[in-house]
């Protein structure tokens, strides 16, 4: 149990991107403690990008039962979805792609045990009428003790064309900068049941490119006396709000509503102008650079209107 907890803590530290320095080289271990073999990663076109799974077989040849660790380097930034069967994973901050740290699913492997599972990927880009490929994927298995990594395998992501072909694949190159824009409409506040003022700011977000991202965010600046009260559809919202609906496909557009309130003693009329800035994050909250920052901010007017 102590060894298992130690390995999980180590995975968490690595997932935070913290380098462990000054560690002495491990003692040599008998070869063949564990091995890994993989199939082919074929990403199939879907109604939302491409999706596919890498078949993996791990064999544990050690003399004792062991939890085996996996290090997975993505062939495409942000493509990793999870394991099947599911098991918790951690990841490093992208440099430029993430390395994912997991355990082989379903617990400890017995001596001689052979276990199969899949590593699942999704790439949110527009399906093409031609095949594509990108290399750089790697999977390493280790025993998690002082032994060095026992075995590793490299893999390429193959994107099947919309016509069903895998032949003559072209290189797939993902955008490195976001290409998004935001517009906003005016907010009209009316009296709520408690006497305060309440209204909605309509905000439309459009994403043109396929840069890897975890989420898009809205950062509002409101007139004096007006405060942010949430977002519709409901999602994470404090000083900034996550754009609901998860990651974007290229060309996708969504309209959401920032909820705003003003105190009951505010007089009806023009309350001033506000603005909202759109930005994306990837990895450990790293803000991404957009190709055109000028259309990442929109202004809007806020007015309190008493019932007639």
């Amino acid at each position: 149990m102590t060894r298992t907890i130690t390995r999980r803590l180590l995975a968490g530290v690595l997932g935070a991107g913290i380098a462990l320095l000054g560690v002495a080289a491990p003692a040599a271990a008998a070869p063949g403690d564990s091995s890994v073999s993989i199939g082919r990663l074929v990403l199939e076109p879907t109604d939302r990008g491409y999706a596919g799974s890498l078949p993996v077989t791990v064999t544990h040849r050690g003399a004792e039962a062991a939890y085996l660790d996996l290090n997975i380097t993505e062939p495409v930034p942000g493509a990793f979805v999870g394991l099947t069967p599911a098991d918790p994973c951690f990841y490093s901050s992208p440099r430029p792609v993430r390395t994912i740290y997991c355990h082989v699913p379903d617990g400890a492997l017995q001596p001689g045990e052979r276990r199969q599972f899949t590593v699942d990927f999704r790439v949110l880009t527009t399906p093409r009428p031609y095949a594509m490929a990108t290399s750089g994927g790697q999977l390493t298995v280790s025993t998690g003790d002082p032994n060095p990594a026992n075995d590793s395998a490299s893999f390429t992501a193959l994107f099947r064309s919309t016509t069903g072909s895998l032949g003559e694949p072209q290189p797939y190159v993902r955008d490195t900068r976001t290409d998004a824009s935001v517009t906003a409409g005016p907010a009209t506040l009316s009296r709520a049941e408690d006497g305060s003022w309440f209204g909605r700011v309509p905000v439309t977000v459009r994403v043109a490119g396929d840069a890897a991202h975890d989420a898009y965010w809205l950062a509002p600046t409101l007139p004096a006396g007006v405060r942010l009260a949430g977002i519709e559809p409901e999602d994470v919202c404090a000083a900034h709000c996550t754009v609901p609906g998860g990651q974007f496909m290229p060309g996708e557009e969504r309209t959401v509503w920032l909820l705003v309130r003003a105190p009951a003693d505010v007089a009806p009329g023009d309350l001033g102008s506000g603005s909202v800035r759109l930005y994306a994050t990837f990895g450990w909250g790293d803000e991404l650079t957009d190709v055109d920052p000028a259309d990442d901010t929109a202004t809007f007017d806020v007015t309190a209107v008493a019932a007639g």
Side-chain angles (χ1 to χ4, degrees):
M1 175 64 73
T2 300
R3 180 179 295 175
T4 300
I5 294 173
T6 301
R7 282 196 304 275
R8 290 185 182 274
L9 289 174
L10 177 57
V13 171
L14 290 174
I18 300 174
L20 301 179
L21 303 178
V23 178
D33 283 357
S34 62
S35 65
V36 61
S37 63
I38 61 175
R40 194 167 64 159
L41 174 59
V42 176
L43 299 172
E44 304 285 350
T46 72
D47 59 355
R48 192 166 176 78
Y50 293 82
S53 298
L54 177 71
V56 181
T57 300
V58 170
T59 303
H60 177 47
R61 297 196 178 100
E64 298 179 356
Y67 291 88
L68 300 187
D69 296 334
L70 296 171
N71 294 352
I72 305 161
T73 300
E74 297 175 304
V76 179
F80 176 79
V81 173
L83 304 179
T84 302
D87 203 78
C89 295
F90 307 86
Y91 58 86
S92 67
S93 182
R95 297 174 182 172
V97 296
R98 300 181 299 182
T99 297
I100 317 297
Y101 304 94
C102 313
H103 292 294
V104 172
D106 289 341
L109 282 79
Q110 300 301 314
E113 183 178 354
R114 188 168 174 265
R115 188 170 296 175
Q116 296 178 318
F117 58 95
T118 63
V119 183
D120 306 323
F121 297 92
R122 179 176 290 276
V123 179
L124 295 181
T125 193
T126 304
R128 275 55 156 198
Y130 51 86
M132 298 186 294
T134 182
S135 59
Q138 185 169 17
L139 187 147
T140 299
V141 60
S142 64
T143 58
D145 57 20
N147 291 330
N150 296 120
D151 199 10
S152 64
S154 299
F155 60 94
T156 294
L158 294 171
F159 296 71
R160 191 183 301 278
S161 74
T162 54
T163 61
S165 173
L166 289 173
E168 300 181 355
Q170 299 183 23
Y172 170 60
V173 180
R174 195 163 197 171
D175 292 340
T176 58
R177 295 193 296 169
T178 58
D179 186 4
S181 61
V182 62
T183 57
T188 300
L189 278 59
S190 56
R191 290 284 187 186
E193 291 184 0
D194 62 1
S196 66
W197 297 94
F198 175 79
R200 294 172 172 82
V201 181
V203 178
T204 299
V205 174
R206 187 178 190 279
V207 175
D210 66 356
H213 62 280
D214 291 322
Y216 275 86
W217 295 80
L218 297 171
T221 299
L222 300 173
V226 180
R227 66 177 179 86
L228 181 66
I231 192 169
E232 286 183 350
E234 186 177 358
D235 211 310
V236 175
C237 196
H240 298 177
C241 301
T242 305
V243 177
Q247 297 169 311
F248 278 76
M249 278 285 293
E252 186 174 355
E253 184 175 285
R254 298 177 197 165
T255 297
V256 300
W257 291 264
L258 293 174
L259 311 182
V260 294
R261 288 189 179 275
D265 58 2
V266 167
D270 181 9
L271 302 186
S273 296
S275 65
V276 59
R277 183 174 72 90
L278 174 71
Y279 66 94
T281 56
F282 181 53
W284 293 97
D286 297 332
E287 186 171 331
L288 303 180
T289 301
D290 195 84
V291 297
D292 183 12
D295 61 8
D296 294 345
T297 300
T299 59
F300 54 88
D301 296 325
V302 181
T303 306
V305 178

